[in-house]
Amino acid sequence: FLKLLGQSKPDLILMDVLLGDSDGREICKDLKGDKETKDIPIILISASPDKLKNYEECGAEDVIEKPFDINHVVEKLDEFIRV
């Protein structure tokens, strides 16, 4: 994932908190601490609302709780992606 970011800079990152061996919040912190990726908006997703508390501490712009309504997701994406 991080290698791909070096090749192409996305307009937004929609990332789950639980990523197998990784924690999306830690990846978010790393991305926000890097000058190349710090300006990419990140929205975290989780089925555990407690994992989304204090999302600002890792630098995420917003959160989406699972289960979610797809229309809600599209609205969130529209907020951060300027086409």
Side-chain angles (χ1 to χ4, degrees):
F1 170 73
L2 297 175
K3 188 176 183 179
L4 290 173
L5 279 178
Q7 298 171 2
S8 174
K9 187 175 174 184
D11 294 325
L12 179 133
I13 297 173
L14 188 60
M15 180 168 34
D16 205 311
V17 171
L18 300 176
L19 299 169
D21 294 343
S22 300
D23 185 320
R25 296 167 295 187
E26 291 301 317
I27 294 171
C28 182
K29 282 182 194 176
D30 292 343
L31 293 172
K32 292 301 184 171
D34 185 308
K35 66 178 182 162
E36 296 295 321
T37 55
K38 68 180 177 110
D39 295 325
I40 300 172
I42 298 175
I43 299 174
L44 295 174
I45 301 174
S46 182
S48 303
D50 60 306
K51 299 210 181 287
L52 297 173
K53 289 181 183 176
N54 305 320
Y55 66 91
E56 299 95 344
E57 291 177 8
C58 66
E61 278 72 21
D62 211 337
V63 296
I64 296 174
E65 289 184 27
K66 294 179 189 176
F68 53 79
D69 178 296
I70 193 65
N71 293 321
H72 177 68
V73 174
V74 170
E75 288 172 10
K76 289 280 185 189
L77 297 177
D78 283 344
E79 281 182 45
F80 293 98
I81 297 178
R82 310 288 181 239
V83 180

